Amino acid sequence: MRRGREEPDRLHGEPPPRWARIAPAAALVGLVCAQVLTPGDVELGFFLAGLPPVAAFAYGPGGTAIFAAVVLLLLGAPSLGVGHARGTDLATVAVIGLLSVVIAWVRRRRDAQLVSVRTVAEAAQLAVLPPLPERVGPVHCSGLYRAAQHGTLVGGDLYDVRAGPYGVRALVADVQGHGLAAVATVASLLGAFREGVLDDAGLASVASRLDRRLAADSAAASDQQPELFATALLLEFPPGLDLVRLVSCGHPPALRLRGPAVEEMALEPGPPLGLGLAGLAPPPVAELAVRPGDRFLLHTDGVTEARDAAGHFYPLTVRLPVVAREPVGLVGAVWRDLAAFTDGGPRDDVALLLLTLPGPAGAE
C-alpha cells in the first residue's frame, strides 16, 4: 500500500540506497572543484560526461535530465572555467545525457513492473499459506515460517491449524523440494487437510486423505516429478482438551513443554505421504494425556538439521529450556537462537508451530 504521495523521481517500491543518490552529485562537485584547482592545461571536465549514466541508476528520468543539463552547461560554458566543449564534443555529451534519460525511464518502468509482479506473487503465496490466527478454538497458536529461497514467502514447508467438529487439528509437513516449485504441492496438501478437518472422524483418516492427494498429484506429474512425497505430523485436541492425539508420517517428533521440562513426544512413525501406503496400512495414532498450560512445539527438519560452522546440528531439545526464558514469544526466540547458531540462518525451509492449551502456564 502506498502512503502519501509518491516522489516523482524515486524508484517504485524500495528506494535506492542513499549512497547511490549522493554519489553522482558528490562526484560532480568533486570534479568541478578539481578542475578549478588544477592548471589550465589539465582537462578534467570531460569526466563529467560519464556521470549522467551513473545518475540514471539512482534517479528517475526527470532527475537524470536535470543532472545531464547541468553537465552540459558546465562543459559548454567556457566562462565557468570547467570545460571547453565545442561542436561534436558537446553534441556527444548531449547524446549521452539523452540516452541516460532513456535508461532511467526504462529502468523505472521495469522496476514498476517487478514491484507489480512481486505484489501479485506475495498475495498468491499468502493465499496459500495465510497468517496463523492467535487463537483457534480454545488453543493459542504461534507460528514462524522462513523459506530457504530468498524473496519467497512459501517454500517446501507448511503448517495449519483448524477447528472442526472433531476438535482442533494441526498439521506440520515438509514436502520434497524448495521454493516456488513446491508451492503447488503445499497448496494441494493444505486443501486436503482442511477438507479432512471437516469430514474425517479419525486422525488416521486425515493422513490417508493427504496420502491419496499427494499420490494422485505425483501420478499426474510423473514426467516432471516422478518421486513426490512429504513428511507430516498431525495433531488433534478433541473437545474437552483432556488428551492429544498424534500421527507421524515420517516426520520429526513434536516437543512438549510443561513448565521448565521439555519432553520429546516419541511415537511410532508411519510412512511418508505420497507413497500410497497410508490407505493400506493407516499410521498408528498415539494418545497422550495433557494438562492446562501444556505447550507443544511442532517443527520441520530445517530446524534440527541446521548446522553451525563446525558441522554440528542445532540441538533444539537442549536449547528450548534456555530460549524459553526470554520474555518474547518462544518461536521468535527459537528462530533468533537458530540464526545465531548457523551464523545467519539455515539454508533449508524452516517451520515452527507452537500450540498452547489454556491454563495458568500457557502464556505465549
Side-chain angles (χ1 to χ4, degrees):
M1 297 180 63
R2 296 180 181 177
R3 298 181 179 179
R5 292 185 301 173
E6 183 181 340
E7 296 183 26
D9 289 324
R10 300 183 77 180
L11 290 172
H12 294 263
E14 184 179 357
R18 184 181 299 273
W19 65 265
R21 299 193 298 272
I22 295 176
L28 176 66
V29 174
L31 285 172
V32 170
C33 293
Q35 181 62 69
V36 172
L37 296 176
T38 54
D41 57 342
V42 178
E43 184 66 45
L44 300 177
F46 282 104
F47 285 105
L48 296 173
L51 296 182
V54 176
F57 290 98
Y59 295 88
T64 304
I66 294 174
F67 205 93
V70 171
V71 170
L72 197 62
L73 177 64
L74 291 173
L75 293 179
S79 59
L80 298 177
V82 177
H84 304 82
R86 290 289 184 274
T88 56
D89 291 338
L90 199 60
T92 301
V93 175
V95 170
I96 292 174
L98 180 62
L99 291 177
S100 300
V101 173
V102 173
I103 291 172
W105 179 78
V106 172
R107 178 199 51 76
R108 186 175 179 184
R109 283 179 57 88
R110 179 61 59 86
D111 185 75
Q113 292 172 355
L114 291 176
V115 170
S116 177
V117 170
R118 180 177 176 82
T119 301
V120 173
E122 289 181 353
Q125 293 178 71
L126 287 174
V128 172
L129 194 65
L132 192 67
E134 294 183 1
R135 189 184 182 104
V136 177
V139 179
H140 297 270
C141 307
S142 179
L144 182 142
Y145 192 96
R146 293 292 185 273
Q149 184 172 331
H150 180 70
T152 61
L153 303 179
V154 180
D157 292 358
L158 62 109
Y159 57 70
D160 199 10
V161 184
R162 297 280 163 163
Y166 309 105
V168 176
R169 288 171 170 172
L171 166 69
V172 171
D174 183 359
V175 306
Q176 181 192 27
H178 306 286
L180 295 177
V183 173
T185 305
V186 169
S188 182
L189 284 177
L190 285 173
F193 170 71
R194 291 161 186 170
E195 292 177 357
V197 168
L198 300 176
D199 299 337
D200 296 329
L203 203 58
S205 299
V206 180
S208 297
R209 178 188 292 266
L210 298 177
D211 182 61
R212 292 194 304 270
R213 177 72 272 166
L214 200 55
D217 291 347
S218 179
S222 58
D223 294 337
Q224 295 83 8
Q225 209 165 5
E227 296 181 357
L228 186 62
F229 64 91
T231 64
L233 182 64
L234 291 157
L235 184 146
E236 176 186 272
F237 297 108
L241 299 179
D242 57 344
L243 60 87
V244 61
R245 298 189 180 101
L246 300 104
V247 168
S248 174
C249 299
H251 199 80
L255 301 175
R256 177 168 61 185
L257 292 87
R258 180 173 288 173
V262 177
E263 175 189 1
E264 186 177 278
M265 304 180 69
L267 62 155
E268 183 182 351
L273 302 174
L275 304 180
L277 301 178
L280 301 176
V285 179
E287 290 189 358
L288 299 172
V290 298
R291 296 178 187 174
D294 279 352
R295 294 185 290 176
F296 299 87
L297 182 66
L298 288 68
H299 60 90
T300 56
D301 60 10
V303 178
T304 52
E305 293 184 1
R307 298 172 183 261
D308 62 6
H312 301 124
F313 290 109
Y314 179 69
L316 177 61
T317 306
V318 175
R319 294 296 302 167
L320 262 185
V322 179
V323 299
R325 300 171 190 162
E326 296 191 19
V328 295
L330 179 63
V331 292
V334 171
W335 170 253
R336 284 189 291 274
D337 190 62
L338 179 62
F341 180 84
T342 57
D343 192 20
R347 298 179 181 179
D348 196 2
D349 298 325
V350 167
L352 291 165
L353 176 62
L354 182 68
L355 305 174
T356 305
L357 297 180
E364 169 64 20

